[in-house]
Amino acid sequence: MSANSSSTAAALSLIADDMRAMDAVIARRLQSEVPLVAQVSQYIIAAGGKRLRPALVLLMCGALDYRGDQRFNLAAVVEFIHTATLLHDDVVDESTLRRGRSTANEVFGNPASVLVGDFLYSRAFQMMVEVGDMRIMQTLAEATNVIAEGEVLQLMNMHDAALSEDGYLRVIRSKTAKLFEASARLAALLAQSSPSVEQHCADYGQALGTAFQVIDDVLDYDGEVLEMGKNLGDDLREGKVTLPLIIAMQRGTDAERATIRQAIETGHTGEMAQIIAIVQQTGAMQATRDAAAAEAQRALDALQTFPENPYSDALKQLASQLLTRRS
């Protein structure tokens, strides 16, 4: 285990019992009279991952001293929404590998993945209605809608070598950071915190989610398949224009820009080694990491007024460790 993984594990160890309670909710709410529903759902949930989004609900609840059982239900809701997006994403992207093993669409086929994703969305909405809190329902409904908009934006931007940095940020703040933001805000709503604290929670979540995705995009040009659990160059193959490429095109020579542009527009990764070299030589890799560092610092700043306790310390640790993330 890398030092980075160890620091994440240390931060999450605080909520180990809470995560087990959430898992019990997940197991109960995945039950269906249609066997394939549970089979596909359990396959992707069992794939693991850090589960940062539900963990964020639980850590933030701890930081705000909320101990009610609804935190387990809402953490499960967040995990269902995220899992549904993964199922749909992998179909759209025609992905074959996630977290080091075959994607659900590769194993069960595209129709099953899409339909079970729909089941998870609808089950999440059943569960959030049961909470009976209009603000919580509004937060999760808005987040789900914004995520869907982000997915469509990303689809529109595929193979567009002219995508700007602002356009890129708009996609990841919708597609990725919005659920982090909602997860942190849910804790404030459960704890009946002041509007100011709620906003700080939301700011932390958005900044953390943005930093997480920016670093993820770096790793496509600076990682290994065994570390990433996906194929190196997948983003480029799918026509996704990410920050390392945007900055490299801004800083590169005409010939270097032409090489990257052709790869983006065709999805051809035959020049992958050359493109990685361009990204590194132009300083785009470090510039992208610097952008992630700025977001991580914004997350840390949002926690300045929080009470000092092990949970707020863990939240700070999560933001800090993103700067050395390798997988």
Side-chain angles (χ1 to χ4, degrees):
M1 181 180 285
S2 67
N4 178 257
S5 298
S6 297
S7 65
T8 303
L12 299 183
S13 64
L14 271 178
I15 53 168
D17 290 342
D18 287 354
M19 292 293 275
R20 280 190 284 272
M22 179 198 72
D23 285 339
V25 174
I26 287 174
R28 186 171 68 252
R29 300 311 295 258
L30 279 183
Q31 292 179 5
S32 168
E33 294 180 2
V34 182
L36 187 60
V37 168
Q39 190 178 0
V40 176
S41 301
Q42 287 167 356
Y43 178 85
I44 188 169
I45 287 174
K50 296 182 181 68
R51 293 188 173 185
L52 283 180
R53 295 153 187 85
L56 184 51
V57 176
L58 298 170
L59 283 172
M60 196 64 81
C61 281
L64 300 176
D65 199 30
Y66 175 81
R67 297 290 185 271
D69 286 347
Q70 284 296 356
R71 70 190 194 275
F72 307 131
N73 294 327
L74 289 181
V77 166
V78 166
E79 183 66 3
F80 281 171
I81 291 172
H82 177 56
T83 303
T85 66
L86 296 185
L87 285 165
H88 290 170
D89 275 358
D90 286 341
V91 171
V92 172
D93 297 339
E94 299 180 357
S95 299
T96 60
L97 191 67
R98 180 180 288 279
R99 295 170 183 161
R101 70 171 187 167
S102 297
T103 54
N105 51 299
E106 182 76 358
V107 175
F108 300 101
N110 288 342
S113 291
V114 170
L115 294 172
V116 172
D118 291 344
F119 168 84
L120 289 173
Y121 273 132
S122 58
R123 178 53 50 89
F125 273 79
Q126 284 180 322
M127 293 168 67
M128 73 176 76
V129 168
E130 290 168 7
V131 177
D133 185 307
M134 184 58 71
R135 285 292 314 285
I136 286 173
M137 286 188 280
Q138 288 173 337
T139 296
L140 286 165
E142 180 199 11
T144 306
N145 189 251
V146 169
I147 291 166
E149 287 182 333
E151 296 283 1
V152 176
L153 272 175
Q154 181 171 268
L155 185 64
M156 292 171 60
N157 294 337
M158 290 293 195
H159 303 290
D160 180 6
L163 183 68
S164 68
E165 191 170 331
D166 285 345
Y168 161 81
L169 286 172
R170 184 183 176 196
V171 168
I172 66 171
R173 289 214 164 115
S174 299
K175 185 175 178 289
T176 301
K178 190 63 181 180
L179 192 54
F180 279 82
E181 176 189 329
S183 298
R185 188 187 294 274
L186 289 173
L189 293 173
L190 285 173
Q192 298 184 338
S193 301
S194 68
S196 174
V197 169
E198 180 187 329
Q199 189 58 54
H200 286 314
C201 290
D203 290 344
Y204 172 87
Q206 190 206 52
L208 188 79
T210 303
F212 180 86
Q213 186 59 56
V214 172
I215 290 295
D216 193 66
D217 292 339
V218 168
L219 294 177
D220 203 49
Y221 300 94
D222 190 33
E224 298 177 2
V225 175
L226 290 178
E227 287 184 301
M228 287 292 291
K230 68 175 185 177
N231 297 311
L232 195 63
D234 271 354
D235 286 348
L236 185 59
R237 189 176 298 105
E238 294 161 8
K240 292 178 183 175
V241 186
T242 55
L243 194 54
L245 293 184
I246 292 170
I247 296 174
M249 289 186 70
Q250 290 171 350
R251 298 182 176 185
T253 64
D254 288 345
E256 289 169 339
R257 279 195 291 273
T259 297
I260 295 174
R261 184 181 299 109
Q262 182 177 24
I264 290 171
E265 291 175 350
T266 64
H268 181 60
T269 56
E271 305 295 327
M272 191 66 191
Q274 184 180 352
I275 290 169
I276 290 174
I278 294 170
V279 169
Q280 292 173 340
Q281 291 163 10
T282 57
M285 197 79 75
Q286 186 57 49
T288 305
R289 287 192 178 277
D290 290 345
E295 291 295 330
Q297 186 58 54
R298 189 162 69 88
L300 291 169
D301 291 344
L303 296 176
Q304 283 185 349
T305 61
F306 274 52
E308 288 290 335
N309 60 47
Y311 297 94
S312 58
D313 288 345
L315 290 168
K316 292 172 187 175
Q317 194 173 355
L318 281 181
S320 299
Q321 64 88 24
L322 280 176
L323 304 182
T324 56
R325 181 180 170 222
R326 295 291 303 171
S327 61

